[in-house]
Amino acid sequence: METWQGLIDSEYRRWLPVTDRTPTVSLHEGNTPLLRSRHLSDVTGCDVRLKVEGANPTGSFKDRGMTVAISKAAEEGTELVVCASTGNTSASAAAYAARAGIASAVLIPAGRVARGKLGQAVRYGARIVEVAGTFDDCLRIARDLAGHHPVALVNSVGNELRLSGQQTVAYETVDALGAAPDIHCLPVGNGGNITATWRGYRTFRAAGRIGGLPRMWGFQAAGAAPLVHGAPIAEPQTAAGAIRVGNPATWQGAVEARDESEGLIGAVTDEQIFDAYRLLARHDGVFVEPASAAGVAGLLDRHSHGLLTPGQTVVVTLTGNGLKDQDASLRDGYTPVETSSSASEVARALFPAALVDG
């Protein structure tokens, strides 16, 4: 039985912009689980599947695009890659650059990146610059650096390499289901993921691999929903840091995915996001970072308003692992039960007295 070797050396290679001259820089990304959620299926009356992208090597979907971007950078002899990030892109870029022996620099909004993600970038050896501003400021600066200095920008904006890699989530979904789902839900921050996923489905339809296409349902946090309001937001606000973006770089692609698929881009509150975040862990055993739960929050919101027709197949992309943001997990607080090292005392703390004393 062949073992999985990552996206570039898989059956999906033909769909990626690589050649025989392209070195493969991989951490064996992709091939992530597509889990059926019994709870969400029961609640909505649909067949709901969870695409668990937190199972990628650095814990997020960003690895799908980064393997392609860094492989091409290595092919071109690039010595330094740079990116702007709310955390996941920086972790992925730094890891794949380290794998390729290329230096990396990441620009992050000061004080706004979860420690788990920052810790990854530190450990992978990236040079980290904390910018006094938002993600949008970081991206503006990163683009300027790439335009005036000998560095490669590995953000998805203007980088078809990244987007081509991210399209593979659609390929895997189709191959797992045997067809496209009726609806594909996912969080929307900078807009690249919904753009790439939609392009992936379109690519497979053009190749005759599927007949129909899904509707793309993207969801932004209510305090950071420029695509919903139709205008950039100067100071986006949400506790779901990975989608705290006020001016999406892949704005047009996201809008096209929404319109061409006859889908939608809606907004959900932080309360709804965190409710979905808790639900996924308690009912499905899947620990995600808060932003990853936005697609589930949106699906439940649509269902609660009678806007989800039962009987459909729904895929929800869960973009990042919960270990990325452990502070979020503890924000509700918890009360441990404290006992001595006596087994009987632990038993009394755990079980009803009648059971222990009987």
Side-chain angles (χ1 to χ4, degrees):
M1 180 178 181
E2 291 187 8
T3 57
W4 180 258
Q5 298 293 315
L7 293 169
I8 293 176
D9 291 334
S10 76
E11 63 179 300
Y12 304 126
R13 182 185 181 91
R14 75 185 75 172
W15 312 106
L16 300 175
V18 296
T19 69
D20 292 340
R21 298 186 303 275
T22 308
T24 298
V25 181
S26 174
L27 292 167
H28 293 192
E29 60 295 314
N31 196 28
T32 57
L34 185 66
L35 302 178
R36 185 176 188 274
S37 171
R38 183 172 59 186
H39 177 73
L40 290 171
S41 297
D42 289 345
V43 168
T44 62
C46 292
D47 180 9
V48 181
R49 309 295 183 98
L50 306 173
K51 188 61 169 164
V52 186
E53 289 294 275
N56 277 298
T58 75
S60 85
F61 76 97
K62 301 290 187 177
D63 294 347
R64 291 182 180 275
M66 205 59 71
T67 184
V68 181
I70 299 298
S71 292
K72 295 297 287 187
E75 179 182 351
E76 295 165 5
T78 299
E79 296 182 358
L80 174 66
V81 296
V82 64
C83 71
S85 179
T86 55
N88 283 329
T89 299
S90 66
S92 187
Y96 281 81
R99 183 78 168 167
I102 298 173
S104 63
V106 301
L107 280 58
I108 61 174
R112 299 190 182 191
V113 172
R115 287 186 295 176
K117 302 173 188 179
L118 182 59
Q120 286 181 287
V122 169
R123 195 51 46 214
Y124 295 136
R127 184 165 186 178
I128 299 167
V129 180
E130 295 195 8
V131 175
T134 65
F135 165 79
D136 303 292
D137 294 317
C138 294
L139 183 56
R140 171 179 52 79
I141 296 168
R143 296 175 78 168
D144 184 80
L145 291 174
H148 295 89
H149 300 277
V151 299
L153 178 66
V154 292
N155 282 96
S156 57
V157 54
N159 191 326
E160 293 299 316
L161 302 173
R162 281 275 310 279
L163 294 178
S164 69
Q166 289 173 205
Q167 288 179 200
T168 58
V169 75
Y171 307 157
E172 289 181 14
T173 297
V174 168
D175 285 343
L177 295 176
D182 297 299
I183 299 169
H184 194 126
C185 299
L186 70 174
V188 175
N190 211 30
N193 205 18
I194 189 172
T195 300
T197 303
W198 173 239
R199 288 183 184 178
Y201 285 120
R202 288 185 59 190
T203 296
F204 259 28
R205 188 178 70 167
R209 298 283 289 265
I210 53 174
L213 291 166
R215 284 171 288 157
M216 301 300 298
W217 284 11
F219 296 96
Q220 298 190 291
L227 291 169
V228 177
H229 299 297
I233 296 173
E235 292 290 337
Q237 301 294 326
T238 175
I243 54 174
R244 191 189 297 122
V245 179
N247 189 14
T250 319
W251 186 302
Q252 187 57 38
V255 170
E256 288 174 359
R258 177 196 66 192
D259 295 347
E260 290 174 4
S261 73
E262 299 182 354
L264 62 93
I265 297 178
V268 285
T269 66
D270 276 15
E271 181 180 5
Q272 289 175 302
I273 290 173
F274 275 86
D275 283 347
Y277 165 75
R278 298 181 191 100
L279 179 152
L280 283 165
R282 294 288 181 87
H283 292 282
D284 289 299
V286 180
F287 185 29
V288 300
E289 64 173 311
S292 299
V296 172
L299 178 67
L300 292 173
D301 181 72
R302 299 288 292 179
H303 168 71
S304 70
H305 288 91
L307 300 173
L308 177 66
T309 303
Q312 300 182 90
T313 299
V314 180
V315 169
V316 188
T317 297
L318 306 178
T319 47
N321 194 290
L323 293 174
K324 296 276 193 174
D325 190 353
Q326 295 183 55
D327 289 340
S329 181
L330 300 176
R331 64 179 271 168
D332 296 336
Y334 76 106
T335 305
V337 177
E338 298 181 358
T339 75
S340 70
S341 58
S342 163
S344 60
E345 187 173 340
V346 173
R348 290 182 186 281
L350 291 177
F351 307 122
L355 181 62
V356 176
D357 297 334

